[in-house]
Amino acid sequence: MAFPAAAGPDPTRDVLWVALKTCVLAKKLANRTFPCLAVDLGAGERPGTAVMRAPGEPTHVVVMPTDTVTGLESTPLRGSRGAAYWTAALAARRYVTDSLQGRIPEADVALAVNSARGRSQDQLHIHVDCLRPKVLDALDAHGRQVRRQWAPFPVPLAGDRFQAMRVRAAEADTFNPFAALTSLPGRRDLHRTSFAAVATRPDDPEPGYILLAYRAPGASAEDVMDHGCAIAGAGRAKAAG
C-alpha cells in the first residue's frame, strides 16, 4: 500500500475503496464485517471507520474512514474528523499485539500515513504495525529530547530526517495530527508530507506520543515500520522483559 503513484488515472488506486465498500455493505445488511476486521458506521458527530488486515501481512492493519477521504492533504481532516481517525487508529493497535499473542506492548506499535505519491491507494488509510528495531532503538535513545513544538529529531529514522513533536497523554484523546501538520516548519505542502506516531518509551518522564513527519516528493513514513515484526523475536522480548 505504499508504492509510488503512477501518472494519470489508475484504477488500481481504488482497490482499497472497493474492499471498504464491501465491508460497509456487509455491516449494514448482515451486521458482519468481512473482509474487514471491524466496521464502525459512526453515529452523531463520530465518523465511521473500518479496520482491515493487509493481505499476506499478519500484523499489518490499516484504519480507514468509511466516507470518501483521499489522503492526509484532505481539508476536512483538519477538523474533528481527523481527531476521530487518530483515536480509532490508536485503538487498532490491539490487532497487532493480539496477532502476536502479546509478545510486544502497544507502545512498540506505530501509526503511519504516507504522502500522495508515497501511497498506492487514494482512500485515506492509516497503517498500524510494529516499529523497525533500529527505529525503536533510536526512540529509546533520543525520545526524551522531543518537546511539544516541532524540531528535528536528533538522528535519521529509516534513512529519513524527521521533524518531531510531543503529544502529552492528557491531550491525546482530542489531539489531531492532521491539523498539527499545518505547523510543520518549512513550506506547507501536504501532498508531499508523511507522518508517523508512536507512544513515548516506558521510562519517559512525560508520557504520551511522539509525532514524526517529513516532506519529500514520495514521502513514506511507513518506512519506520517492519511488517515482519522482528521486535517480537525471542531475543528482544526477553531483553525488554
Side-chain angles (χ1 to χ4, degrees), residues 212-236:
L212 301 158
Y214 78 106
R215 293 191 186 96
S220 175
E222 186 189 353
D223 290 344
V224 304
M225 293 177 167
D226 169 22
H227 298 313
C229 206
I231 59 173
R236 185 170 188 107

Side-chain angles (χ1 to χ4, degrees), residues 44-66:
E45 296 298 315
R46 188 183 78 252
T49 55
V51 183
M52 180 179 291
R53 193 172 303 284
E57 296 179 337
T59 62
H60 181 193
V61 301
V62 293
V63 178
M64 304 162 285
T66 55

Side-chain angles (χ1 to χ4, degrees), residues 1-6 13 69-74 113-125 127 190-194 217-220 222:
M1 296 183 182
F3 297 108
R13 295 178 69 83
V69 182
T70 303
L72 65 78
E73 69 278 6
S74 299
V113 181
N114 295 324
S115 67
R117 288 182 58 190
R119 64 182 185 241
S120 69
Q121 300 294 300
D122 287 328
Q123 171 66 8
L124 176 69
H125 51 289
H127 298 270
L190 294 175
H191 287 83
R192 293 161 54 98
T193 302
S194 183
S220 175
E222 186 189 353

Side-chain angles (χ1 to χ4, degrees), residues 70-81:
T70 303
L72 65 78
E73 69 278 6
S74 299
T75 301
L77 293 176
R78 265 26 102 202
S80 60
R81 292 174 66 185

Side-chain angles (χ1 to χ4, degrees), residues 86-212:
W86 154 267
T87 301
L90 289 178
R93 293 177 298 169
R94 70 177 179 86
Y95 291 103
V96 178
T97 57
D98 286 352
S99 69
L100 294 165
Q101 298 180 322
R103 295 201 304 274
I104 67 169
E106 284 190 355
D108 289 358
V109 178
L111 318 180
V113 181
N114 295 324
S115 67
R117 288 182 58 190
R119 64 182 185 241
S120 69
Q121 300 294 300
D122 287 328
Q123 171 66 8
L124 176 69
H125 51 289
I126 304 174
H127 298 270
V128 185
D129 207 352
C130 302
L131 282 164
R132 290 180 181 270
K134 288 185 177 180
V135 172
L136 189 56
D137 289 342
L139 290 165
D140 283 339
H142 303 286
R144 281 172 289 182
Q145 300 176 38
V146 176
R147 298 295 178 252
R148 297 181 64 197
Q149 301 296 324
W150 289 113
F153 194 77
V155 298
L157 299 173
D160 295 309
R161 285 286 187 179
F162 284 83
Q163 297 281 327
M165 68 173 289
R166 178 180 296 269
V167 182
R168 295 189 299 183
E171 302 167 346
D173 288 345
T174 57
F175 180 69
N176 186 343
F178 303 98
L181 293 175
T182 62
S183 62
L184 192 67
R187 179 182 177 184
R188 179 174 172 177
D189 186 348
L190 294 175
H191 287 83
R192 293 161 54 98
T193 302
S194 183
F195 80 87
V198 64
T200 53
R201 309 316 303 150
D203 61 349
D204 196 301
E206 189 177 30
Y209 297 89
I210 293 175
L211 192 66
L212 301 158

